[in-house]
Amino acid sequence: MKKTIILLVMSVFSFSLIDAQSNIKLNPFGTWKFDAPYAPAGYTSGTIIVGKENDTLKASMCFTGIDNKIPGQKVVIRNDSIMFRVFVEGTDVNVFLKMEKDTAMSGKAVYNEGEVPLALIKTQALPKK
């Protein structure tokens, strides 16, 4: 039941954001180091890469100690917010991020067992396209 409600909320949220992807105030593109101290062991830190390729928004997530990049799906950027979904060990994880300034973001990762706060610092910038 909880998973269904989360998916319903995500669907409504994503539909309202789809047509506003070009209204970006701060530059979210680049490599971001994240910390998630309340996440399960093995998932408490890593990087998120946000970019654009052929007019398509891209995001990927990589956890510290794991070489595998997990591609983000349904990437949406609106104003200073970023949303995408990743599939981690058989579980959908919805990531919501809010840019505080060009070099810092905060947010949360929501999955079937709850939500985990995230803090991000930009380590490498990519140009806005």
Side-chain angles (χ1 to χ4, degrees), residues 18-107:
I18 290 174
D19 63 341
Q21 291 180 358
S22 61
N23 190 12
I24 301 169
K25 295 178 183 177
L26 297 173
N27 183 5
F29 302 117
T31 301
W32 298 82
K33 180 186 180 314
F34 74 86
D35 288 308
Y38 302 108
Y43 301 103
T44 58
S45 65
T47 58
I48 294 175
I49 300 170
V50 180
K52 198 171 189 181
E53 184 178 302
N54 299 327
D55 291 329
T56 302
L57 296 171
K58 301 280 185 178
S60 63
M61 188 174 226
C62 184
F63 296 99
T64 301
I66 301 172
D67 292 333
N68 215 19
K69 281 186 185 178
I70 303 169
Q73 301 171 354
K74 299 185 179 183
V75 180
V76 176
I77 299 175
R78 179 179 182 206
N79 296 325
D80 299 329
S81 297
I82 301 167
M83 182 185 78
F84 62 93
R85 181 176 57 189
V86 290
F87 195 66
V88 181
E89 288 195 23
T91 302
D92 280 323
V93 179
N94 295 297
V95 178
F96 301 94
L97 303 170
K98 176 77 173 159
M99 291 195 69
E100 297 164 359
K101 53 186 178 179
D102 249 353
T103 58
M105 281 197 278
S106 62

